[in-house]
């Protein structure tokens, strides 16, 4: 989408009918409107095979709209920062999805590592939590990542509401990266096409009361930059004698 071009008119200050006349007449000769050339002809969508009956059900479960109330987790003040991430994941294993066919189980291997998080924290599959207000209600949600077999990551978002906790997003894939941008959660996933990736933006939907994949696209990945040629240097300089010269320390401040 092209940015809107601002048009300025250099006219004497006027009010009422004079301002209307300027709008009708356009800008003066000094700052008049300029043409960007002929506009492309608009072509409306053409429906193909209109005789085909519309589908009545999704071919597979993508995980959109899947929510679940987490049992045994109380959030009386709506502050999810105080919750134990491992306890939340363990409680989520007992949750039932509010949509039929949802709530995929965590693999048994991951559950075993989950049970040993306290004794073996290095092998705990629950990643460090992040917090962001993704629903716009002024309260942070908890974003959790769970390591799964085959280098997959299960991403889950939990919303505090009615004194408890509700799962508003659950998706799993072999991801390139997971990002928070504004009120969107963005996952980047490798594509079977070399040099491309899938990018999905999950956003809060008030009517569904869940995070839905509002943008799902395949994009070309940037080409890797060629390595720089080594810089040629001259012979090493002799090290000066600093015995009689006081040394000066330089502290680099990180901003």
């Amino acid at each position: 989408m092209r940015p809107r071009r601002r048009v300025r008119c250099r006219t004497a200050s006027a009010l009422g009918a004079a301002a209307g006349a300027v709008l009708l007449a356009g800008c003066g000769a000094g700052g008049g409107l300029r043409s960007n050339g002929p506009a492309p002809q608009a072509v409306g969508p053409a429906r193909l095979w209109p005789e085909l009956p519309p589908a009545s059900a999704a071919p597979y479960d993508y995980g959109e709209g899947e929510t679940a109330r987490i049992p045994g987790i109380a959030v009386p003040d709506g502050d999810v920062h105080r919750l134990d991430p491992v306890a939340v994941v363990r409680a989520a294993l007992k949750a039932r999805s509010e949509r039929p066919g949802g709530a995929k189980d965590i693999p048994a291997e991951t559950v075993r590592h989950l049970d040993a998080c306290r004794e073996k924290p290095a092998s705990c599959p629950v990643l460090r939590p992040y917090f962001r207000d993704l629903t716009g209600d002024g309260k942070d949600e908890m974003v959790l990542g769970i390591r799964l077999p085959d280098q997959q990551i299960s991403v889950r978002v939990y919303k505090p509401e009615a004194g408890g906790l509700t799962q508003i997003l659950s998706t799993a894939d072999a991801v390139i990266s997971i990002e928070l941008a504004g009120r969107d959660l963005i996952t980047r996933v490798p594509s079977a096409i070399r040099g491309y990736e899938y990018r999905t933006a999950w956003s809060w939907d008030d009517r569904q009361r869940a995070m839905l994949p509002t943008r799902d696209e395949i994009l070309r990945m940037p080409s890797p930059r060629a390595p720089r040629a080594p810089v040629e240097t001259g012979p090493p300089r002799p090290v000066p004698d600093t015995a009689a010269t006081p040394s000066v320390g330089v502290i680099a401040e990180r901003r």
Side-chain angles (χ1 to χ4, degrees), residues 86-166:
V86 176
V88 171
V89 176
R90 290 176 60 88
L93 297 176
K94 305 175 183 178
R96 292 185 178 182
S97 174
E98 298 178 3
R99 180 171 57 82
K104 304 296 186 304
D105 293 333
I106 295 180
E109 178 184 351
T110 305
V111 174
R112 287 195 299 269
H113 290 297
L114 184 66
D115 293 336
C117 280
R118 182 171 299 180
E119 293 78 12
K120 300 178 180 179
S123 60
C124 183
V126 181
L127 302 177
R128 176 169 62 95
Y130 288 87
F131 304 93
R132 178 74 64 90
D133 180 10
L134 298 175
T135 62
D137 62 353
K139 297 181 180 179
D140 284 346
E141 276 69 47
M142 173 185 280
V143 182
L144 288 182
I146 308 171
R147 286 192 298 259
L148 303 178
D150 300 326
Q151 295 184 337
Q152 294 197 28
I153 300 293
S154 173
V155 183
R156 302 186 176 193
V157 177
Y158 297 96
K159 171 181 173 59
E161 60 179 0
L165 202 63
T166 301

Side-chain angles (χ1 to χ4, degrees), residues 223-231:
S223 301
R225 296 182 179 180
R228 295 182 178 180
V231 179

Side-chain angles (χ1 to χ4, degrees), residues 150-191:
D150 300 326
Q151 295 184 337
Q152 294 197 28
I153 300 293
S154 173
V155 183
R156 302 186 176 193
V157 177
Y158 297 96
K159 171 181 173 59
E161 60 179 0
L165 202 63
T166 301
Q167 179 179 286
I168 60 175
L169 169 63
S170 177
T171 184
D173 215 325
V175 300
I176 298 175
S177 69
I178 305 168
E179 304 167 351
L180 287 174
R183 288 168 54 187
D184 291 342
L185 187 145
I186 302 173
T187 58
R188 297 171 53 205
V189 179
S191 168

